[in-house]
Amino acid sequence: MKILSQDKDLILNIDNTTVIGIALNNNKEIASITTNGKEQFLGIYATEERAKEVLLEIFTKMKANGFDFTYEMPAE
């Protein structure tokens, strides 16, 4: 599975990722941590609730499709 970041400057390979979630320092931001410990910014939203909706959408697509798809972070 691959995730295209909101600003279209990063493609995240889920195989090299340990965590995708709400960022600790900004509850409106979705970030990931790679297997080498690097944090990657994926998207920022108007509210924490919207960030959680997008995170749930990623999870739902992963559950339905396994890891064989590309997810594009929504603009808002």
Side-chain angles (χ1 to χ4, degrees):
M1 174 185 141
K2 308 224 178 354
I3 298 175
L4 178 62
S5 67
Q6 189 179 49
D7 55 7
K8 315 290 188 258
D9 68 350
L10 173 76
I11 298 172
L12 176 74
N13 183 340
I14 195 78
D15 294 340
N16 300 325
T17 304
T18 58
V19 175
I20 299 174
I22 304 299
L24 294 176
N25 60 344
N26 184 346
N27 63 6
K28 298 175 185 177
E29 182 178 304
I30 296 176
S32 69
I33 298 178
T34 63
T35 53
N36 67 358
K38 185 174 181 182
E39 186 174 9
Q40 299 288 329
F41 166 80
L42 298 175
I44 191 163
Y45 297 94
T47 65
E48 178 181 7
E49 291 75 24
R50 177 61 180 142
K52 287 181 178 181
E53 287 174 1
V54 172
L55 190 59
L56 180 59
E57 185 176 312
I58 293 169
F59 174 76
T60 302
K61 289 189 183 271
M62 286 174 65
K63 190 174 176 184
N65 300 303
F67 291 98
D68 190 28
F69 76 98
T70 300
Y71 181 82
E72 186 172 335
M73 297 296 287
E76 185 53 44

